[in-house]
Amino acid sequence: MWRALRDCTYSIGEYYLMTSEPGIAAKYFSFAANAAHFAENTILEARSLFNQANAEKAMARSGNYSLEEEQEYYRKSIKTYQRAHAAFQEASMAGCYEDVQALIEGGDAAYILGDYEKAIKPLEIALREAQKKRYDELGLRASDILAQSYAGMNDSGNQERYRSVYAHYQEYFISLDSLNETTEEIQKLESSNARQQVELDKKQMELKQINLELENQLAIAEKNEAIIRQHKLERKMMVGGIVVVVLILVVAVVGNEYKRRINRKLASQNRMIIEQKIQLEVQQKDLKAEKGRTDSLLRNILPEPVAEELKKFNKVTPRYYPKVTVMFTDFKGFAEITSQMTPGEIVKELDDCFAAFDQIIEKYEAAVGRKCVEKIKTMGDGYMCAGGVPFENVTNPIDIVEVALAFVAFMEQRKREKLSRDLPWFGIRIGINTGPVVAGVVGSRKFAYDIWGNTVNIASRMESACEPGMINISASTFQHIQGRFSATPRGKIAVKNKGEFEMYYIEGRVGVV
């Protein structure tokens, strides 16, 4: 009995929900949920509760009720969405598409009521599940409502979360427009090449037809000459030798002139076809060169696997990495020292240092025989790189600390050279942290590979809390490198907007004095 009742009421509820009668639909879905509960069918119970909440939310949005009634329906929908989420968990379907939808819709209803604190928790859970299951559309919607909920609260930390979450997804959409423009230009060039190839094939077919017609005409001319010769023999006795000779000469002259005209026409058409073929080859060569420049540009500004994904799918899906080590560097006293330098001197000094950092990374990767450290960007006197993206590995904390030691050694050598010539010098500060990040492509006209997450923010705080000439690491990084490097504990140190963190100074490799 319960089975027939639940199936019938669920189907009737779907009908009324599709015919825009949410009030009736909500009642039938409520009956279906109760029947499914007594029948111990938790999956149907969860889906019935989910659709009941959708119907209640639709009633709140219908405009057919007073403000107080609309708010009451929103509150009912929030409770029903929560019951649906609990039922999905009981049915071992936590994180399924409908479960994530229930979390988002419930959080959205709380946001509409202005209860931002109640909205944040289900939206944060939904965003994590959407990222884990690659539900891109749900992830974008959850982040949008979550960012607005952060913004609705007066807390400065939530304002920062709003800017971080919302800016990332906004730039993600803009980057798709720029990529589509580049793809359309390449497609136009390839389409033009295809049309020109068709024209060349058409000209070649015309040339073959002309050759065939010429062969036919020559065969007719030879046949006519044979007939004339036959007539000559037949009329020799009737007309006389002189008349026959004149006739043969006239036919020969006319035939030769016709052949010459055909040959000139054929030669002219051949020259046109050859010229068109040369132009087509030049265009094909230019197209190939342009494509090569585009590919080279993508490889220069993006990691190779990211560039390949961009070319193949016309988009880059943001990806979650569970273990990444991030390094920030800057120069202590940069503003004071550069105030006494010309703009050209400042640019040259930064270029010399950052070019040396790039070479250190290349030499390290050549030594270990693998790609393991990715330069992310430079920001004024700051340099940012990371290990574990886009190629995941377990050695990224060790890789980044090795590179950091090489950076410090280079800057110490540069300091000695500057002092020997009585020139100003910079003291480098380095901060390192290990944890999860999200990586992807941003930018509207200029693509850029970047990483986001709390791990990045903490790495930046490690750098700002560091002394010149030192390497400051977090407790998270220390857990992965102890035994390979010696480090001095600094204890818990307070950082801006983040509380207190355990910090360590790297002294060197274990066993190396």
Side-chain angles (χ1 to χ4, degrees):
M1 180 186 74
W2 287 116
R3 178 177 181 181
L5 180 61
R6 72 175 186 240
D7 293 344
C8 178
T9 54
Y10 186 86
S11 299
I12 295 173
E14 284 186 321
Y15 168 77
Y16 281 112
L17 189 60
M18 288 189 296
T19 56
S20 300
E21 296 186 65
I24 301 175
K27 294 179 180 179
Y28 278 102
F29 282 126
S30 177
F31 292 152
N34 291 333
H37 177 75
F38 285 112
E40 297 183 352
N41 188 335
T42 53
I43 295 176
L44 184 59
E45 180 184 2
R47 290 175 174 166
S48 298
L49 289 170
F50 173 63
N51 284 320
Q52 179 186 345
N54 288 338
E56 291 168 348
K57 194 172 183 180
M59 293 170 68
R61 291 176 170 173
S62 65
N64 298 328
Y65 302 95
S66 65
L67 178 61
E68 292 77 9
E69 290 174 324
E70 288 180 0
Q71 291 177 342
E72 182 60 28
Y73 280 124
Y74 275 124
R75 295 187 187 97
K76 285 184 178 180
S77 70
I78 291 173
K79 293 179 180 179
T80 311
Y81 281 127
Q82 291 172 346
R83 290 175 59 198
H85 174 59
F88 279 121
Q89 288 182 315
E90 185 178 351
S92 299
M93 294 179 64
C96 71
Y97 197 87
E98 289 178 317
D99 184 35
V100 176
Q101 280 185 306
L103 290 167
I104 293 174
E105 295 299 336
D108 179 53
Y111 168 76
I112 292 173
L113 290 174
D115 194 347
Y116 305 124
E117 292 185 359
K118 183 179 290 186
I120 286 175
K121 183 176 180 180
L123 289 171
E124 287 179 339
I125 296 173
L127 181 56
R128 288 197 298 271
E129 292 295 334
Q131 290 174 336
K132 185 187 302 180
K133 299 295 180 61
R134 301 296 178 86
Y135 299 150
D136 294 339
E137 181 180 354
L138 296 182
L140 292 173
R141 184 158 186 262
S143 65
D144 185 17
I145 304 172
L146 181 60
Q148 295 183 61
S149 299
Y150 286 146
M153 302 177 69
N154 294 325
D155 183 83
S156 61
N158 284 315
Q159 292 288 338
E160 180 65 26
R161 295 187 187 96
Y162 163 77
R163 286 189 289 271
S164 174
V165 174
Y166 212 62
H168 163 56
Y169 283 94
Q170 186 179 27
E171 291 176 353
Y172 170 72
F173 280 121
I174 294 173
S175 68
L176 295 180
D177 294 335
S178 177
L179 174 62
N180 289 335
E181 292 178 4
T182 303
T183 304
E184 287 175 2
E185 291 178 0
I186 294 175
Q187 289 175 344
K188 288 178 181 178
L189 290 173
E190 292 177 345
S191 177
S192 175
N193 179 36
R195 289 196 300 271
Q196 291 173 352
Q197 185 64 47
V198 170
E199 290 295 328
L200 177 59
D201 294 340
K202 183 178 178 181
K203 293 292 184 181
Q204 290 176 339
M205 289 296 294
E206 291 176 356
L207 177 59
K208 290 180 180 179
Q209 186 65 31
I210 292 171
N211 287 333
L212 182 60
E213 292 177 358
L214 179 59
E215 290 175 357
N216 292 335
Q217 291 170 355
L218 291 175
I220 293 172
E222 291 176 355
K223 184 177 180 180
N224 289 337
E225 288 180 359
I227 293 172
I228 291 172
R229 285 195 298 271
Q230 183 67 24
H231 286 172
K232 176 183 177 181
L233 293 175
E234 293 177 352
R235 299 179 61 184
K236 185 175 182 180
M237 296 178 63
M238 296 174 62
V239 179
I242 296 175
V243 175
V244 174
V245 171
V246 172
L247 181 59
I248 293 172
L249 290 174
V250 170
V251 172
V253 170
V254 172
N256 288 335
E257 181 62 27
Y258 179 76
K259 288 182 180 179
R260 284 196 294 273
R261 287 201 303 270
I262 293 298
N263 287 334
R264 287 196 296 270
K265 183 178 179 180
L266 182 59
S268 176
Q269 292 179 338
N270 280 334
R271 285 195 299 272
M272 291 177 60
I273 291 174
I274 292 172
E275 290 174 358
Q276 291 175 349
K277 184 177 180 181
I278 293 173
Q279 291 177 357
L280 180 59
E281 290 175 349
V282 171
Q283 291 174 348
Q284 289 175 332
K285 184 178 180 180
D286 292 342
L287 177 61
K288 185 177 181 181
E290 183 65 27
K291 189 174 184 299
R293 286 192 292 270
T294 302
D295 292 345
S296 177
L297 177 62
L298 283 176
R299 287 192 296 271
N300 284 337
I301 63 178
L302 300 176
E304 184 173 348
V306 177
E308 291 300 322
E309 180 182 356
L310 192 64
K311 289 163 51 183
K312 186 175 181 180
F313 300 107
N314 293 336
K315 67 177 183 178
V316 176
T317 303
R319 184 177 173 189
Y320 175 79
Y321 293 85
K323 179 184 175 183
V324 174
T325 301
V326 183
M327 174 170 71
F328 280 91
T329 77
D330 79 339
F331 299 128
K332 181 68 174 178
F334 179 80
E336 293 80 359
I337 296 175
T338 55
S339 64
Q340 303 174 3
M341 301 169 66
T342 66
E345 291 172 336
I346 297 172
V347 171
K348 184 179 185 306
E349 186 69 20
L350 289 176
D351 184 61
D352 289 345
C353 294
F354 291 162
F357 292 172
D358 293 343
Q359 292 175 0
I360 289 171
I361 292 174
E362 291 176 1
K363 289 180 180 179
Y364 179 77
E365 290 179 333
V368 299
R370 55 190 168 85
K371 179 67 177 176
C372 56
V373 179
E374 185 68 32
K375 176 183 177 181
I376 305 300
K377 58 186 173 183
T378 60
M379 305 147 290
D381 65 321
Y383 186 97
M384 177 183 178
C385 63
V389 289
F391 300 101
E392 294 188 67
N393 58 52
V394 298
T395 63
N396 57 81
I398 296 172
D399 296 330
I400 291 297
V401 173
E402 288 283 4
V403 170
L405 287 171
F407 283 8
V408 171
F410 168 77
M411 293 303 297
E412 286 296 322
Q413 176 63 30
R414 191 172 182 84
K415 171 184 175 181
R416 290 192 291 271
E417 293 175 358
K418 292 286 186 178
L419 289 174
S420 66
R421 292 182 290 169
D422 196 22
L423 295 175
W425 53 275
F426 298 122
I428 190 171
R429 301 188 304 180
I430 298 179
I432 300 174
N433 181 43
T434 302
V437 303
V438 174
V441 174
V442 298
S444 58
R445 295 295 179 186
K446 297 180 180 180
F447 299 119
Y449 183 71
D450 208 346
I451 57 177
W452 305 271
N454 198 44
T455 299
V456 179
N457 298 331
I458 293 174
S460 176
R461 299 296 190 274
M462 293 298 109
E463 175 265 315
S464 60
C466 184
E467 296 296 325
M470 303 300 291
I471 302 170
N472 191 33
I473 67 173
S474 66
S476 174
T477 302
F478 177 73
Q479 292 175 358
H480 296 288
I481 59 94
Q482 56 183 329
R484 292 288 297 268
F485 301 92
S486 57
T488 300
R490 301 181 64 193
K492 289 187 176 181
I493 298 177
V495 299
K496 183 179 179 182
N497 296 331
K498 291 292 182 181
E500 294 184 341
F501 286 90
E502 288 283 349
M503 300 184 189
Y504 300 81
Y505 273 148
I506 292 291
E507 302 297 338
R509 301 175 187 86
V510 172
V512 178
V513 180

